[in-house]
Amino acid sequence: RISAASQSAATSAATASSSVPSEMKAWSYSEYGGVDVLKLDTNVAVPEIKEDQVLIKVVAAALNPVDSKRRAGKFKATDSPLPTVPGYDVAGVVVKVGNQVKDLKEGDEVYADVSEKTLEGPKQFGSLGEYTAVEEKLLALKPHNIGFAEAASLPLALETAYEGLQRAAFSQGKSILVLGGAGGVGSLVIQLAKQVFGASKVAATASTGKLDFLKSLGVDLAIDYTKQNFEDLPDKFDLVFDTVGQGDRAIKVLKEGGSAVVLTGPAETPGFRFVITSTGETLKKLNPYLESGKLKAIVDPKGPFPFDKVSEAFSYLETGRATGKVVIYPI
Ligand code: NDP
């Protein structure tokens, strides 16, 4: 039998979880710079929600290279004002709902890239705090079979991978070379190309120790960039997806009529660059593939890093050697 005392303890716990404090813990910086400008503050105001937003109790977040570039001041001209709570990727629980929110309700488990435009006015209060306010249109329900840490690893990288393949009009029967196949974006481009777009052949580059990882993702040809220049191989591709900054080399291995998606560094025609726009629609579309296990979240085995180790997690991301995503959990 459940005692009255334990029942009342359970009730007060439930009340506490749905009541939102006015202040929270969050990582923030007040000036641009290296990892050392990041501070864990204990009294950051919990963001107010707008009518089209929900407030999320953050359970997990993930880091992206753009967080580091933004913190370094690379996008100063179009950034939101300082101080900044960084973080684009979030997974958590809805605790408050704006008046114009249609489909989400308190208690829903959701995930998103919280900033619609990555470089122009990204959220001042991102995902590296206990709470974050996010527009409904950026969110999707978390796939029921994966945890918060895995869900948080997906949004920005998965939406970038999908948007790039779509913009390049990649389709069934085509071949693709992924430069940087072991990284956050590359590991998802490989899986999407194979499992969702029906690629005839997927090749990817990585260093020696990561070739087996590439094969486990389904690549047909794993190229060790420490031993071989991909341009020297006989293989040509319909698409090269460059996550490394090798746009000049990418266009040398294209078939007639092929193209190259370039995420960083200069792009030469027929290669093109784009910047991801966050949308929950992509996550909703891909949820069935995540739920069937055809697409897998790749959380770097050095993590997940607990919330008080965000600086260490950024230092690790900034080595450029991460496998899949650097995740922060629990928050
Ligand atoms: P990651 O930090 O996850 O990439 C790390 C991976 O890169 C490692 O696994 C590493 O493998 C691999 N790598 C490094 N150098 C090479 C190389 N010469 N050849 C092959 N692989 C290499 O980064 P992301 O995947 O998150 O992002 C990649 C880039 O794309 C970043 O510059 C990011 O800012 C940009 N980006 C741009 C977006 C846009 O909208 N334009 C959106 C998202 C990302 P190894 O250890 O084997 O070298």
Side-chain angles (χ1 to χ4, degrees):
R1 279 191 46 205
I2 303 166
S3 73
S6 70
Q7 278 185 43
S8 87
T11 310
S12 64
T15 312
S17 73
S18 63
S19 69
V20 177
S22 58
E23 292 187 338
M24 63 175 184
K25 278 198 238 175
W27 285 87
S28 75
Y29 52 89
S30 310
E31 54 177 329
Y32 293 116
V35 170
D36 52 313
V37 300
L38 280 164
K39 300 276 176 306
L40 179 54
D41 282 352
T42 53
N43 56 353
V44 174
V46 170
E48 298 287 335
I49 52 169
K50 302 194 178 113
E51 291 193 319
D52 62 340
Q53 292 181 327
V54 303
L55 188 68
I56 295 172
K57 172 71 186 76
V58 179
V59 180
L63 309 186
N64 287 282
V66 69
D67 284 300
S68 303
K69 295 175 185 178
R70 180 184 178 198
R71 195 195 62 229
K74 230 184 139 189
F75 313 118
K76 218 182 262 192
T78 55
D79 203 353
S80 50
L82 296 165
T84 300
V85 173
Y88 290 80
D89 284 325
V90 73
V93 181
V94 174
V95 291
K96 213 193 243 186
V97 174
N99 289 334
Q100 281 170 23
V101 168
K102 294 188 190 78
D103 296 327
L104 293 174
K105 56 184 189 313
E106 271 183 49
D108 281 345
E109 298 181 350
V110 291
Y111 71 133
D113 167 357
V114 304
S115 287
E116 183 173 22
K117 302 250 194 251
T118 312
L119 309 180
E120 292 149 49
K123 288 243 155 68
Q124 185 177 8
F125 298 94
S127 60
L128 289 169
E130 292 178 295
Y131 295 88
T132 190
V134 186
E135 292 78 358
E136 180 176 34
K137 67 180 179 180
L138 306 186
L139 287 154
L141 291 175
K142 178 177 81 59
H144 58 71
N145 58 321
I146 66 173
F148 286 99
E150 286 149 321
S153 79
L154 291 163
L156 189 145
L158 185 59
E159 292 173 33
T160 301
Y162 189 81
E163 187 177 338
L165 290 168
Q166 283 238 303
R167 282 176 180 262
F170 194 70
S171 60
Q172 185 153 11
K174 290 189 175 176
S175 59
I176 182 172
L177 167 64
V178 184
L179 302 178
V185 178
S187 58
L188 291 166
V189 175
I190 291 169
Q191 295 185 69
L192 282 178
K194 198 89 190 177
Q195 304 294 340
V196 178
F197 286 76
S200 58
K201 177 177 172 182
V202 180
T205 60
S207 58
T208 317
K210 291 177 175 170
L211 300 179
D212 285 342
F213 171 65
L214 294 185
K215 288 179 193 145
S216 76
L217 296 175
V219 309
D220 304 294
L221 175 64
I223 304 167
D224 183 345
Y225 73 80
T226 70
K227 301 210 171 106
Q228 235 168 358
N229 286 324
F230 61 83
E231 312 88 296
D232 298 341
L233 297 172
D235 310 75
K236 299 281 179 265
F237 301 90
D238 294 304
L239 179 65
V240 178
F241 200 122
D242 171 27
T243 76
V244 174
Q246 299 174 326
D248 51 339
R249 295 169 59 191
I251 54 170
K252 294 183 182 155
V253 295
L254 295 178
K255 286 185 183 168
E256 184 78 34
S259 68
V261 175
V262 178
L263 292 186
T264 184
E268 291 173 30
T269 341
F272 65 93
R273 261 187 84 155
F274 78 101
V275 178
I276 181 222
T277 303
S278 173
T279 166
E281 293 310 310
T282 301
L283 300 178
K284 286 178 193 167
K285 209 176 300 178
L286 295 175
N287 270 359
Y289 294 92
L290 290 158
E291 289 178 343
S292 70
K294 282 197 163 180
L295 287 180
K296 289 193 170 55
I298 312 288
V299 176
D300 184 284
K302 288 224 168 44
F305 293 79
F307 192 48
D308 61 355
K309 294 281 189 290
V310 162
S311 295
E312 286 86 342
F314 266 116
S315 296
Y316 175 57
L317 175 78
E318 290 167 25
T319 64
R321 298 276 86 84
T323 301
K325 297 293 303 175
V326 177
V327 171
I328 311 301
Y329 170 85
I331 294 180

